[in-house]
């Protein structure tokens, strides 16, 4: 009968060096997309500038500054995307509700404009 401890039979797990600080994303592709296609109030251009700064800092090895600029690029990209998606939807909703209101107003006013004065017919006879 084997009475040895099973943990002693296996070698201890190999541990590598501690993981380095996670390299931040620069959001450059998203910023280019916002600059070219959905440049709401030039926020896409601002996001592109911060994304390029984040990439430059990442390449030079300044991870903390890259993280700072990456955060700003992500914020401006989100604002540009939200503004470019929400505003056309809001404008479309306003147009649809305006058309519905005007059509109801036109239907109600048809009776006013088609009113015939019955007194004028009696005088002709």
């Amino acid at each position: 009968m084997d009475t040895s401890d099973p943990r002693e039979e296996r070698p201890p797990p190999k541990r590598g060096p501690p993981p380095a600080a996670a390299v931040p994303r620069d959001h450059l592709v998203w910023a280019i997309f916002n600059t070219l296609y959905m440049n709401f109030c030039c926020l896409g251009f601002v996001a592109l500038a911060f994304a390029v700064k984040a990439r430059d800092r990442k390449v030079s090895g300044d991870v903390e500054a890259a993280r700072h600029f990456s955060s700003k690029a992500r914020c401006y990209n989100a604002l540009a995307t939200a503004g470019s998606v929400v505003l056309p939807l809001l404008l479309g909703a306003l147009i649809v509700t305006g058309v519905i209101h005007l059509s109801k107003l036109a239907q109600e006013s048809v009776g006013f404009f088609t009113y015939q004065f019955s007194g004028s017919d009696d005088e002709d006879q």
Side-chain angles (χ1 to χ4, degrees), residues 29-78:
V29 175
W30 190 12
I32 290 171
F33 179 76
N34 278 332
T35 301
L36 293 177
Y37 296 109
M38 302 187 310
N39 199 8
F40 172 70
C41 290
C42 296
L43 290 176
F45 183 71
V46 174
L48 181 65
F50 280 113
V52 169
K53 285 182 179 183
R55 178 164 283 194
D56 289 344
R57 298 290 191 243
K58 184 169 69 171
V59 168
S60 69
D62 190 3
V63 177
E64 191 59 36
R67 186 173 290 116
H68 174 72
F69 287 128
S70 173
S71 173
K72 285 189 176 264
R74 183 181 63 232
C75 179
Y76 283 116
N77 276 322

Side-chain angles (χ1 to χ4, degrees), residues 87-98:
L87 286 180
L89 289 177
L90 182 64
L91 182 63
L94 286 174
I95 289 172
V96 167
T97 55

